[in-house]
Amino acid sequence: MVDAIVSPLLEQLISFAVEEVKQQVMLVTGVKQEVKKLTSHLQAIQAVLSDAEQRQVKEESVRLWLGPLKDVSYDIEDVLDEWICCTCLRGRRRSKKSMKS
């Protein structure tokens, strides 16, 4: 009698847990793809900034957009650095937990 009640309940809990894990994996995968895309964009922006630094002396129009683009570049770099730090910290925590087990 108890099995008839507990078994379906356990199946639902397991199903819910599996779905939750799937969603977490999809989220992490999506973040990794976004980080790659941001890194690529940052490299392109930095190349443009390097060229613009030299051109701003002679061209007023370059000077006008150079500042805001630098700010965006710094913001992207900060986000990527923070993500990398968080990822490293999680990896260390997992390593410590697996060593204790």
Side-chain angles (χ1 to χ4, degrees), residues 1 7 9 15 21 34 39 41 50 57-58 76 82 85-87 92-93 97 99:
M1 179 72 161
S7 190
L9 183 59
S15 175
V21 169
E34 286 298 314
T39 301
H41 289 317
S50 177
V57 176
K58 297 179 183 176
I76 293 171
E82 188 174 334
C85 285
C86 288
T87 302
R92 287 182 184 168
R93 288 182 191 143
K97 284 182 182 179
M99 288 180 171

Side-chain angles (χ1 to χ4, degrees), residues 42-57 62 65-66 69-70 73-74:
L42 179 61
Q43 290 170 344
I45 289 170
Q46 287 173 335
V48 170
L49 287 173
S50 177
D51 180 53
E53 288 285 337
Q54 297 167 7
R55 292 178 40 204
Q56 75 171 336
V57 176
V62 172
W65 58 260
L66 181 60
L69 186 58
K70 276 185 180 180
S73 172
Y74 297 144

